[in-house]
Amino acid sequence: MTDPQITLYRLQACPYCERVVRTLDRLGIDYRSRYVEPMHSERNVVKRVSGARSVPALVDRETGVTMSESANIVEYLEGTYGNEGAGA
Amino acid sequence: MPAFDVVELPETDHVTAGETAPEFTRPLVGEEFWEDRSLSTVVDGPTLLVFHPMDGAFQATYVYNEIDDRGWADALPVYGVSISSPYEHKDLLAERGDGVRVFSDPSASVVETYGVAHDIDGMEGITEARPAVFLLDADRVVRYAWVGSEHPSFPDYDAVEAAIDDLLQ
């Protein structure tokens, strides 16, 4: 079994995280889902991977891309893995 | 001296040495995050699987203190299992269990699969894990098993350590 190339750092019931999850599911992308600490100040793992403590944060080992902000992530996923991206 | 009655737990048909440890997938909690992991993807060498009563119960605390004192997590991967939620596991790991990660099994179905369930008296609706220790080899075969038969009870830590030393030789 190969590990998914994409890891999503998320917070339970965070609408911005769910938005990214919906996009990943819609595009049929396999990903690793990691829930993190609700307390912003204690999310050091997210800070280490993305430079900021905000979630969602996405790491794509395939492309070497790490990003925060759901709108950016959705745009990146659609551009990289969506039909729009492939056809553009 | 006051009479002191140890509660005997019912006999249980638990996983024993020689069997393959049953596969399961549950949230696996570390100090910083949790994610769904299956047992088969985390076992790639000698591994210690420790079922324990819910986080916060003194039995769980004592078991982790002993694991820390003996430095087992430095010798091999150590995984806990209890019915507590990932949030409770994070609190537990902030205090003790250095290097240990803990599976969260609130439904107790993994606990029941391993035959280590305890319907705790006075907490209606809660089935939790008895203390139990399973030492697995790289093929997930159980090489040493101990399951608590009294309430409370604690593993024979020296026996566990001897089994770990044997397997790691």
Side-chain angles (χ1 to χ4, degrees), chain B residues 85-158:
Chain B
S85 75
Y87 295 96
E88 293 163 304
H89 284 349
K90 277 194 86 260
D91 287 347
L92 180 152
L93 292 174
E95 298 289 326
R96 45 183 60 84
D98 193 26
V100 178
R101 290 192 287 167
V102 192
F103 286 101
S104 179
D105 182 37
S107 68
S109 54
V110 173
V111 167
E112 282 170 349
T113 299
Y114 276 72
V116 299
H118 177 202
D119 292 327
I120 191 157
D121 182 66
M123 296 195 205
E124 187 67 28
I126 294 185
T127 297
E128 70 156 359
R130 318 173 173 205
V133 177
F134 300 95
L135 178 63
L136 317 183
D137 67 18
D139 298 321
R140 242 169 63 226
V141 173
V142 177
R143 302 289 289 268
Y144 170 91
W146 174 88
V147 176
S149 58
E150 295 174 346
H151 183 57
S153 57
F154 292 96
D156 181 340
Y157 297 107
D158 289 338

Side-chain angles (χ1 to χ4, degrees), chain A residues 12 32 34-35 37 48, chain B residues 32-35 87 90:
Chain A
Q12 183 176 338
R32 179 166 277 182
R34 290 183 168 169
Y35 281 94
E37 168 64 43
R48 279 203 309 281
Chain B
E32 298 199 298
F33 62 82
W34 61 91
E35 61 185 357
Y87 295 96
K90 277 194 86 260

Side-chain angles (χ1 to χ4, degrees), chain A residues 22-63:
Chain A
R22 279 200 304 276
T23 304
L24 287 162
D25 288 346
R26 180 163 52 77
L27 297 174
I29 299 170
D30 196 19
Y31 64 98
R32 179 166 277 182
S33 160
R34 290 183 168 169
Y35 281 94
V36 299
E37 168 64 43
M39 287 283 287
H40 187 269
S41 61
E42 292 180 17
R43 288 185 214 146
N44 292 329
V45 64
V46 184
K47 169 92 174 172
R48 279 203 309 281
V49 300
S50 75
R53 290 192 172 84
S54 65
V55 290
L58 181 131
V59 178
D60 187 343
R61 289 189 294 162
E62 182 75 34
T63 59

Side-chain angles (χ1 to χ4, degrees), chain B residues 31-42:
Chain B
E31 272 192 80
E32 298 199 298
F33 62 82
W34 61 91
E35 61 185 357
D36 288 347
R37 292 302 294 268
S38 61
L39 182 66
S40 61
T41 62
V42 299

